[in-house]
Every structure is written in C-alpha cells, then in structure tokens.
Amino acid sequence: MGYILYGFLGLMLALLWWQNDTLQDELKEQHSINLLATKANKKWQDEIEKLNLEFSKGLESLSELKSKKEIERVYVKEVSNNTNSCIDAINAVYERLQYQRGDNNTSASPSTKDTKAALHTK
C-alpha cells in the first residue's frame, strides 16, 4: 500500500511540475502582451495630448477672431450712431477695410474725411 501512495504522490508532483512550467510560459506571454499594451497606451496618450494642444490653439484663434469681429462691430456701430448719412458710414467701413488690407496710402474721399472728423470729435 505504501508503494501505491508513493506512486500517487510522485504522479501528483510530476503533474504540478508540468503545470508550473506551462503557467510560467503563459506568464511570460502575458508579460509581453502587457508591454505592448503599455507602449500602445503611451502612444495614444501622446496623440491625445497633441490633439488637446491643437484644440486649445484653435480655441485661442477663434476667440481672437471673435474679439476682432467685436471691435469691428463696435466701430461700425459708432460710425452708424453718428448723425451722418448712410453713405458716410459705408465710406468709413470701406476705408477701414482698405486700412486692414494695408492700403494706407490711398486717398480718402471727402465724405470719408468728414466721417473721420466726426469720429474724432466724439
């Protein structure tokens, strides 16, 4: 009966030894998969940070454009709130557009000069 018990214990020991080897191989495989997943996650984090940076730059650009539009809107309101004619307001807006393009050397029409004078006396 003792030999059967020793044989059974030996069989159990051999089975555990074999199971240990397969588990170690599986552990190595899982470790390599985890390393690949970690590298992929790092790449995605870098991409997300880059996209967030570009998004924030885009928002800054949009807010700058909005503030410029608001300045122009206030300018046009100031011109149109004066008691000048509609033609004077249109000439002032036209002159402002030329100024924005860099055409500062163009000669202004008399009605545009009147509008300028009215704005400066305000």
Side-chain angles (χ1 to χ4, degrees):
M1 178 106 173
Y3 291 114
I4 295 176
L5 184 62
Y6 287 132
F8 184 70
L9 286 175
L11 182 63
M12 291 294 284
L13 187 62
L15 184 62
L16 288 175
W17 188 274
W18 175 76
Q19 192 77 11
N20 185 28
D21 285 341
T22 55
L23 287 175
Q24 283 182 352
D25 291 341
E26 190 175 326
L27 183 65
K28 287 178 184 177
E29 183 180 333
Q30 286 297 323
H31 181 69
S32 63
I33 290 172
N34 286 343
L35 285 176
L36 288 174
T38 304
K39 288 179 184 177
N41 284 343
K42 181 66 178 159
K43 272 184 161 180
W44 280 108
Q45 284 176 344
D46 292 343
E47 285 296 319
I48 289 173
E49 287 175 11
K50 189 188 303 182
L51 288 174
N52 280 337
L53 181 65
E54 289 177 9
F55 184 71
S56 66
K57 286 180 182 178
L59 286 178
E60 288 174 8
S61 298
L62 285 176
S63 74
E64 287 175 11
L65 286 174
K66 183 180 177 185
S67 66
K68 285 181 183 178
K69 266 188 171 179
E70 193 65 34
I71 290 170
E72 291 301 317
R73 189 174 301 140
V74 168
Y75 178 78
V76 171
K77 282 182 183 177
E78 285 177 3
V79 169
S80 63
N81 285 342
N82 273 339
T83 56
N84 298 327
S85 69
C86 182
I87 293 175
D88 290 337
I90 292 172
N91 284 336
V93 170
Y94 180 72
E95 181 184 357
R96 182 72 174 186
L97 287 174
Q98 283 182 337
Y99 177 76
Q100 284 179 347
R101 289 185 188 152
D103 298 340
N104 298 340
N105 298 331
T106 59
S107 61
S109 66
S111 60
T112 306
K113 290 179 184 175
D114 293 340
T115 306
K116 273 178 129 179
L119 283 177
H120 289 301
T121 59
K122 194 174 188 182

